[in-house]
Amino acid sequence: MGFDGVADMFRRNVAEHPDTTMFRVEGRSVSWAEHHARAAAVAGALAGEGVGPADRVAFLDHNGLAYFEVLFGAALTGAVSVAVNWRLAPPEMAAVIDDARAAVLVLHPEFLPCLAAMGSALPSVRRIVVLDDPAHAPVDDAGGGPVESRAADRARRVGYEDWLARGRPADPGHRSRPDDVALQLYTSGTTGLPKGVMLAERNIAAMLDIAAGDAFGIDADTVSLVAMPLFHIGGSGWALSGMSRGGVSVLLRHMDPAVLLGLVATERITHAFLVPAVLMALLATPATATTDLSSLDTVFYGASPIAADVLVRCLEAFGCRFAQVYGMTETTGAIVQLAHEDHDPGGPRRHLLRAAGRPLRQVELRIVDPDTQAVLGPGAVGEIETRSPFTMAGYWDKPEETARTVVDGWLRTGDAGYLDDEGYLFLHDRIKDMVVSGGENIYPAEVENVLLAVPGLADAAVIGVPDDTWGETVKAVCVAAPGTVLEASEVIAFCRERLAHYKCPTSVDVVEALPRNPSGKVLKRQLREPYWRGHERRIH
């Protein structure tokens, strides 16, 4: 496809089929030309605020059309979109917006209380644009906090439609260069404070060419379900991929299994990306068995481990192809795929269901010793490093951290795993999640794979907790299936029949649910925190 970043892809599709449907959302269809007109209005409004190339524009809302109006409007001017995680607490939201030095903040009225709780924060924000919604209070009446803060806040606040009407609605024709930053997405913060990952136009171009084309099989007939949060690469990246060949994108504002199933049936969804937690919720929804899912071509999944039995049940319940993808924000999403051909639970290669897959075109992988950086051979567990056109431009305002993470073009993922003789990648865990007990390295994912086979166990996570003798020991945090009582002794005994004893849990906690971030990853630092409080040695 050649160079084809965000704005280029958008303009090309508008030119090639202006009157075909680009979006379907809440029963409404929007053509490419109609969406371009809205994006051009955003571009004109941004220009009126003095926003230009490389300026940051923050957005705070659930999935919806307005996000893409702002994203493409910013792209037409060369500005950088910053999607803010709506699940954060107000001080955390403010920290992201401040870190990005966003010039404009667009948000839904639902988040006005969060804005009020930020107080006098957001010094870089020149304009606060509130999406018009008649179900909420008028823009000028919402707010809270100190009177002075509310007055200053109202002075820079405007309704979305009024804001669009102020500008000159025209595509300014800005042409980005490959190294220009297109998106700034913030990491989930599972191992520390969120960092702004700068994804360049060249990263997006690689995603639209290689991932969307080779891995996802996107074409002009694709009807893509955009269900994951857009502040995550699994949301924005997947959405842009689905649009890349001019197909239709169906937006799901809130994750609701029943609504999702209804959209698949009524909108004839062909492709979707879902995390394992959502797949498990769908399996537990009775309507899955009676909904017409015949339009589905492929369901892609990733971002967190999935139990083999859950995957087999998905294959049976959905009746379509499944493919796993592995990647991260820093790699612009997917760089490894376990193709649908490798999903053969009853065949001689069923062991591949435990694999993440093989690298996409132009992606290099290697496994290194995290301490010596020596490259390891097949079967040896170490840190996964990758080099490809998907690798981020760097962390915003963090040159030292960028230099530690990307060395000679190789991105240190922080994930542990190994490559087999055929080049399949098998994941173990985050390097920093590794448990070191009595000098032995224990990878939680290995233990979790065994735990997920325990009868009556629905979900599990393994962490290291302090131990006076061994330094650390393994704890299993488990979720019981409905109507089931888990006995710690039985869980431990099950593991001891299948694993070396030093790898097995020495204690078991049963909880109602595991804490997860929006991408479905278990927040292990949150699980560990109570046990390590007050101890000198911290495992992050």
Side-chain angles (χ1 to χ4, degrees):
M1 292 176 64
F3 178 66
D4 199 11
V6 176
D8 285 352
M9 179 273 286
F10 183 42
R11 289 178 176 126
R12 172 174 50 80
N13 280 304
V14 171
E16 291 179 357
H17 34 71
D19 298 323
T20 62
T21 298
M22 179 181 185
F23 290 109
R24 287 207 290 266
V25 56
E26 298 177 349
R28 175 188 170 201
S29 293
V30 178
S31 72
W32 285 87
E34 289 171 332
H35 194 74
H36 182 266
R38 295 287 289 180
V42 170
L46 289 173
E49 303 292 351
V51 173
D55 286 334
R56 268 58 179 172
V57 178
F59 186 91
L60 176 57
D61 188 18
H62 301 279
N63 293 7
L65 276 174
Y67 172 78
F68 295 100
E69 292 174 359
V70 174
L71 183 150
F72 287 117
L76 295 178
T77 69
V80 179
S81 291
V82 179
V84 181
N85 183 344
W86 42 261
R87 291 181 173 174
L88 298 177
E92 296 173 310
M93 293 177 180
V96 167
I97 298 165
D98 282 342
D99 181 75
R101 299 195 293 277
V104 171
L105 167 63
V106 181
L107 79 165
H108 192 276
E110 177 183 341
F111 297 100
L112 285 173
C114 297
L115 181 65
M118 297 178 199
S120 59
L122 316 183
S124 67
V125 175
R126 302 195 290 270
R127 181 66 65 192
I128 297 170
V129 183
V130 184
L131 297 172
D132 297 278
D133 188 335
H136 291 75
V139 169
D140 288 340
D141 292 339
V147 174
E148 297 82 0
S149 296
R150 294 206 308 271
D153 190 39
R154 280 195 296 269
R156 54 180 175 165
R157 196 186 302 178
V158 64
Y160 186 61
E161 296 300 331
D162 288 343
W163 183 63
L164 295 186
R166 293 179 183 181
R168 178 175 173 269
D171 183 339
H174 175 83
R175 297 289 175 179
S176 295
R177 296 163 298 182
D179 288 333
D180 289 344
V181 178
L183 301 178
Q184 188 161 305
L185 299 177
Y186 278 76
T187 62
S188 55
T190 56
T191 58
L193 294 175
K195 298 182 288 288
V197 177
M198 297 184 293
L199 300 180
E201 294 283 0
R202 58 177 170 78
N203 300 138
I204 303 298
M207 178 185 73
L208 299 182
D209 178 19
I210 300 170
D214 295 2
F216 303 150
I218 301 297
D219 60 26
D221 296 323
T222 294
V223 181
S224 169
L225 177 65
V226 180
M228 305 314 298
L230 293 167
F231 57 76
H232 186 267
I233 188 64
S236 284
W238 171 259
L240 289 171
S241 295
M243 298 171 193
S244 61
R245 271 71 176 171
V248 177
S249 296
V250 179
L251 307 184
L252 178 63
R253 181 166 176 80
H254 300 285
M255 178 49 67
D256 182 316
V259 176
L260 188 157
L261 289 168
L263 286 176
V264 172
T266 60
E267 302 292 356
R268 309 302 294 162
I269 302 295
T270 63
H271 293 70
F273 171 73
L274 303 172
V275 296
V278 171
L279 292 173
M280 292 172 67
L282 290 170
L283 288 176
T285 303
T288 299
T290 58
T291 300
D292 179 5
L293 306 177
S294 61
S295 63
L296 283 173
D297 177 276
T298 310
V299 171
F300 296 88
Y301 65 95
S304 65
I306 187 170
D309 70 310
V310 171
L311 185 53
V312 171
R313 288 168 58 203
C314 285
L315 290 167
E316 295 171 350
F318 287 81
C320 68
R321 303 189 299 181
F322 271 68
Q324 182 175 196
V325 289
Y326 162 75
M328 53 204 306
T329 310
E330 289 88 340
T331 63
T332 325
I335 55 170
V336 169
Q337 181 189 34
L338 186 69
H340 66 89
E341 295 91 346
D342 293 323
H343 289 66
D344 185 16
R349 292 168 64 79
R350 55 185 175 273
H351 67 283
L352 289 178
L353 290 181
R354 295 186 293 105
R358 290 196 279 196
L360 303 186
R361 175 166 53 91
Q362 296 188 37
V363 173
E364 297 176 79
L365 293 180
R366 69 183 185 186
I367 308 298
V368 304
D369 184 304
D371 297 319
T372 66
Q373 288 296 289
V375 178
L376 304 177
V381 175
E383 183 174 10
I384 302 163
E385 293 190 350
T386 178
R387 185 168 61 184
S388 77
F390 296 92
T391 300
M392 65 174 181
Y395 294 118
W396 168 250
D397 259 3
K398 290 180 171 58
E400 293 181 358
E401 187 133 15
T402 299
R404 287 194 298 270
T405 305
V406 183
V407 182
D408 295 329
W410 287 94
L411 174 71
R412 304 186 65 174
T413 66
D415 287 336
Y418 69 89
L419 292 166
D420 71 4
D421 291 328
E422 295 182 278
Y424 283 89
L425 176 67
F426 289 77
L427 299 176
H428 269 236
D429 244 300
R430 296 289 297 171
I431 286 289
K432 294 178 181 179
D433 283 338
M434 184 174 66
V435 180
V436 183
S437 183
E440 296 282 0
N441 293 343
I442 302 166
Y443 292 96
E446 181 182 8
V447 186
E448 289 162 358
N449 285 335
V450 172
L451 285 168
L452 289 170
V454 172
L457 190 150
D459 205 358
V462 163
I463 59 173
V465 296
D467 184 86
D468 291 338
T469 302
W470 305 109
E472 285 184 88
T473 189
V474 172
K475 174 181 282 291
V477 184
C478 303
V479 177
T484 301
V485 176
L486 289 176
E487 296 291 343
S489 59
E490 294 176 3
V491 172
I492 293 171
F494 185 93
C495 292
R496 288 191 168 192
E497 291 177 1
R498 294 160 176 81
L499 290 170
H501 283 201
Y502 74 86
K503 297 180 180 180
C504 294
T506 58
S507 60
V508 177
D509 288 352
V510 180
V511 298
E512 290 188 3
L514 298 178
R516 296 180 181 272
N517 70 10
S519 68
K521 293 179 182 177
V522 175
L523 299 173
K524 292 195 173 180
R525 189 170 67 157
Q526 184 174 323
L527 290 177
R528 285 190 291 260
E529 184 65 30
Y531 302 99
W532 287 96
R533 192 176 295 126
H535 287 260
E536 288 187 9
R537 185 176 178 213
R538 304 292 303 197
I539 304 296
H540 293 295

